[in-house]
Amino acid sequence: MTYAEYPVRSTKKQAPGPQEFSDMTVTRFAPSPTGYLHVGGARTALFCWLMAKHNKGKMILRIEDTDQKRNTPTAAQQVMDDLRWLGITWDEGPEVDGPNGPYYQSERRDIYDRYMKQLLEKGSAYYCFDTPEELNALRQEAIAQKKNFAYPRPERFPDEQEVAKAQAEGRPVTVRFAMPNTDIIVHDIVRGAVRFGVDELNDFVIQKSDGVPSYHFACVVDDELMEVSHILRGQEHLMNTPGHIALQDALGFRRPQYAHMSVTISEGGGKLSKREQSKTLRNAIKTMATIDLEKVAEVGGLSADEMATFMANKSNPDAPQISAMAEYLGVHLPEINVIDFLKSGYIPEGMINFIALLGWSPGDDKEIMALDELIQLFDITRLTKSNSLFDRQKLTAFNTEHMKMVAPERLLEHFKRYLAINDLPMGQADDATLAHILTACQGARTLADVAAKCNFLYQDVTGYDPKAIKKVLKKEGVKDILIKIRTALDSLDNWDDDSINKAVEELCTQNDVGMGKIAQPIRVAITGSMVSPSIHDSLVLLGKERTLGRIDQLIEFMDTL
RNA sequence: GAUCCCUUCGUCUAGUCAGGUCUAGGACACCGGGUUUUCAUCCCGGCAACACGGGUUCGAAUCCCGUAGGGAUCACCA
């Protein structure tokens, strides 16, 4: 079948079915390991995974590490950790293996070489010896003429002798793919039929001068060999697709189905990226009146010059430097990477649900969905065409819902991981205590809220919130009440919910006051603030001795008011 | 600049392919009220959109054309 004959029925619902593929749906997530997994990548992975699971197929994880300059050795591991935290698993790939490995492209060189040779022999690809400077000049010329740059394909392709000669002269040797002389129509599940004219199509590089295949080539070869039936990726790849299709045809490969997803935009506008974090930090620094810039630079490990260019909006330091400076200044950076959300106390169930709704919906009013519902309802044809903005407030709302829905044991697991990654003293507590803290904080929006609300358990009261002083302590008769509370609590034989509740209720009736008059002074005494879980939970968690001690401490403080 | 994609409440979206049931539905946010020993949760109510202009049609959010705006891509990066 040629491109033109490929059936076009609807622009959306029915993209043509894969021709020669088995019934098995195979998707793949193919990150390039340059750092932590960010939300955009997580969304792509999620849709690949949902699609595979919904169709009882499989998802492959493939690491696209053909560019040595960009890859860091630990990045692949980080990406896998982040995927696992989200609950996204892969059926084939690193650490689980499978019949089509290896799953690191850097280990597949011999495979690519075979196909490269085939293409060269067929005359579908040819060697080039241009230097970057020459190429650049060509491009400038095209711009000057207001034309699209297209590599000038030679009349006759260089032979092996010329290659050897070029090599001897020290010229770079690359291989370009000779694009066929036809328009190419991409049949996309999301976008329908998209036509690319011959004039737009360019002979692109498929083998770099270091001998490594380019992304385009490796990706096409691997997708065929790994039997990938559906390629889900960001719309930034749409323009690459005609090239990939032509490559598939030249190599006699099958054509997978494509779905180019819309992009996720950040609140500040533009693509969600680290740049947003630099921007937030920079703006925060600018609003700080008294600030020791030298000290900040030192914390971030930047030289004075680097700091200056950063502040002048001319450079963006690396993520660790940004984080170090933000932490030092107490600036909360917008979360970008999956791990940022973990650190901020979001749980994977909430993240997954929220991300799934960025560019997809089940078609009715259903929004809060557990993982198995998501799998059951997922339908690739329902992907939205337009870009969507990442709204953290809505994420928080979803997180709140899932905090209530998740099984207690699971929430406990998430909580322990949260405490560990933030290295909080609460992490030393035993499971029973943590479980109690969690139930005492039902309704919390994030795990960070839980930790903050119960932080008083792990920290002495060193002062009192001015608002608490004004609203609670400076009221008539508080000191007397406090003394009565102390006496009542001291006399309790059992330190449990019932006894504490009963004691507090009795204090209310005896003194003819409402709950607030008793509960609030206690709260201020034990936390120094006006926020804590219910009184009975707070007191049980704190223990009798410490409770009484903190009440004494407050009674003493009352005299200084 | 060229090419491609997109456009419904502030935001995520349902509805568009098969035009009437849409005085456009839901959710988050926001505003107002209520429950609660604080915070959070929870409950009730409110505000709020078919980008614009032309067609086609008895009838347009839905089909066609144009305009405007936004995004993506234009690498020996993936």
Side-chain angles (χ1 to χ4, degrees):
Chain A
M1 222 187 271
T2 67
Y3 308 114
E5 287 164 358
Y6 222 85
V8 188
R9 288 193 291 263
S10 158
T11 54
K12 188 179 175 187
K13 284 272 155 85
Q14 304 158 302
Q19 304 303 302
E20 309 156 44
F21 281 100
S22 72
D23 290 340
M24 168 87 85
T25 297
V26 180
T27 60
R28 118 255 123 142
F29 177 56
S32 133
T34 52
Y36 291 103
L37 181 66
H38 57 97
V39 258
R43 189 176 73 126
T44 307
L46 175 62
F47 286 151
C48 288
W49 185 75
L50 250 17
M51 166 112 197
K53 292 295 149 195
H54 177 81
N55 293 324
K56 306 216 171 7
K58 59 186 183 181
M59 182 177 101
I60 298 172
L61 177 65
R62 184 174 72 223
I63 307 296
E64 309 225 325
D65 55 351
T66 52
D67 184 11
Q68 302 96 324
K69 273 161 278 172
R70 269 164 44 117
N71 301 329
T72 57
T74 52
Q77 191 57 49
Q78 286 166 349
V79 167
M80 289 190 271
D81 288 347
D82 291 341
L83 286 173
R84 287 210 179 91
W85 178 70
L86 285 168
I88 297 173
T89 54
W90 49 101
D91 305 286
E92 276 183 44
E95 296 182 6
V96 301
D97 277 336
N100 303 308
Y103 295 94
Y104 285 86
Q105 287 188 330
S106 56
E107 296 169 18
R108 299 173 65 81
R109 286 283 297 279
D110 50 334
I111 299 172
Y112 305 131
D113 288 348
R114 271 206 317 273
Y115 287 99
M116 191 65 70
K117 202 172 155 222
Q118 194 181 315
L119 234 34
L120 251 7
E121 282 169 1
K122 248 185 88 183
S124 297
Y126 57 94
Y127 288 105
C128 306
F129 314 117
D130 314 273
T131 63
E133 295 73 35
E134 287 163 347
L135 247 17
N136 219 334
L138 247 30
R139 256 184 219 107
Q140 293 305 326
E141 200 179 315
I143 290 170
Q145 292 176 25
K146 293 196 175 184
K147 285 202 307 209
N148 254 355
F149 169 75
Y151 185 81
R153 189 188 303 172
E155 294 284 322
R156 189 187 58 80
F157 294 164
D159 58 27
E160 294 295 335
Q161 281 179 335
E162 284 163 285
V163 173
K165 187 171 161 244
Q167 270 166 341
E169 287 169 2
R171 293 185 72 86
V173 177
T174 60
V175 178
R176 279 178 192 267
F177 177 63
M179 281 294 283
N181 193 23
T182 27
D183 287 6
I184 293 182
I185 299 173
V186 175
H187 296 274
D188 190 88
I189 296 173
V190 178
R191 316 214 170 245
V194 183
R195 180 179 212 102
F196 293 85
V198 222
D199 304 342
E200 303 346 305
L201 277 9
N202 188 9
D203 287 359
F204 56 95
V205 170
I206 54 177
Q207 186 173 83
K208 301 181 267 185
S209 58
D210 58 3
V212 178
S214 71
Y215 155 76
H216 305 285
F217 189 77
C219 160
V220 163
V221 169
D222 288 344
D223 285 337
E224 164 71 16
L225 263 27
M226 294 178 183
E227 308 258 325
V228 174
S229 64
H230 296 260
I231 296 178
L232 277 67
R233 36 147 80 143
Q235 79 151 21
E236 64 269 23
H237 289 286
L238 185 57
M239 305 291 264
N240 299 147
T241 310
H244 295 187
I245 287 179
L247 219 35
Q248 284 153 7
D249 287 358
L251 288 161
F253 292 168
R254 304 101 111 192
R255 282 191 196 175
Q257 289 199 72
Y258 288 95
H260 286 95
M261 314 183 304
S262 57
V263 169
T264 303
I265 309 291
S266 76
E267 269 130 323
K271 226 168 132 179
L272 210 53
S273 72
K274 310 117 238 164
R275 221 165 312 150
E276 200 187 359
Q277 294 192 328
S278 322
K279 205 168 89 188
T280 303
L281 180 63
R282 179 159 40 225
N283 290 343
I285 292 176
K286 280 180 185 163
T287 59
M288 292 177 180
T290 52
I291 186 168
D292 185 354
L293 262 185
E294 280 175 37
K295 176 72 186 158
V296 176
E298 190 191 319
V299 170
L302 297 181
S303 70
D305 279 357
E306 285 169 331
M307 191 68 195
T309 55
F310 164 57
M311 287 310 292
N313 215 339
K314 283 179 185 151
S315 73
N316 295 310
D318 293 339
Q321 301 175 318
I322 294 280
S323 319
M325 289 188 280
E327 196 170 321
Y328 172 71
L329 295 169
V331 173
H332 179 80
L333 297 175
E335 299 86 355
I336 298 294
N337 295 324
V338 168
I339 197 165
D340 298 334
F341 290 93
L342 202 190
K343 274 187 189 155
S344 292
Y346 294 92
I347 63 173
E349 288 82 355
M351 288 285 298
I352 290 278
N353 192 167
F354 174 69
I355 291 176
L357 257 27
L358 244 34
W360 177 80
S361 84
D364 53 22
D365 291 339
K366 201 165 177 50
E367 285 204 311
I368 300 297
M369 287 167 279
L371 222 53
D372 51 347
E373 280 179 290
L374 243 20
I375 291 172
Q376 192 201 329
L377 294 171
F378 187 73
D379 175 358
I380 186 78
T381 67
R382 290 197 53 84
L383 287 182
T384 299
K385 292 177 177 183
S386 48
N387 294 168
S388 45
L389 196 137
F390 192 91
D391 177 3
R392 287 184 180 74
Q393 281 187 312
K394 186 147 181 165
L395 198 217
T396 308
F398 273 59
N399 201 68
T400 309
E401 291 300 323
H402 279 91
M403 293 266 289
K404 287 184 284 200
M405 280 165 59
V406 164
E409 317 81 67
R410 223 176 139 59
L411 192 60
L412 178 61
E413 290 299 307
H414 293 330
F415 193 37
K416 283 160 79 172
R417 199 161 353 187
Y418 166 80
L419 295 170
I421 198 168
N422 284 292
D423 201 20
L424 295 174
M426 196 181 287
Q428 304 304 314
D430 57 46
D431 283 8
T433 305
L434 292 178
H436 190 176
I437 287 175
L438 251 7
T439 51
C441 292
Q442 262 168 16
R445 297 173 77 73
T446 64
L447 293 172
D449 286 354
V450 175
K453 202 172 186 178
C454 291
N455 187 243
F456 74 96
L457 297 170
Y458 301 90
Q459 200 171 54
D460 292 336
V461 175
T462 54
Y464 299 92
D465 179 357
K467 263 190 279 176
I469 293 176
K470 190 174 165 219
K471 283 196 137 175
V472 180
L473 303 184
K474 284 204 169 162
K475 293 282 153 72
E476 200 63 36
V478 173
K479 189 178 170 186
D480 291 342
I481 285 283
L482 236 21
I483 292 168
K484 286 178 187 168
I485 291 170
R486 206 226 116 101
T487 311
L489 291 177
D490 192 20
S491 71
L492 290 180
D493 294 326
N494 295 318
W495 193 255
D496 55 38
D497 288 348
D498 282 351
S499 313
I500 292 169
N501 274 338
K502 226 163 83 198
V504 172
E505 276 161 30
E506 272 170 25
L507 281 163
C508 289
T509 49
Q510 277 166 18
N511 295 283
D512 194 27
V513 292
M515 214 34 130
K517 291 281 182 224
I518 304 297
Q520 284 303 77
I522 299 178
R523 203 173 327 261
V524 176
I526 61 170
T527 69
S529 77
M530 294 203 297
V531 179
S532 87
S534 305
I535 288 301
H536 59 95
D537 283 319
S538 300
L539 295 196
V540 170
L541 250 8
L542 228 208
K544 186 172 181 178
E545 201 182 316
R546 286 204 287 166
T547 301
L548 295 179
R550 289 187 188 189
I551 292 175
D552 289 337
Q553 187 188 341
L554 178 56
I555 291 172
E556 231 174 86
F557 176 77
M558 291 299 286
D559 293 332
T560 70
L561 279 178

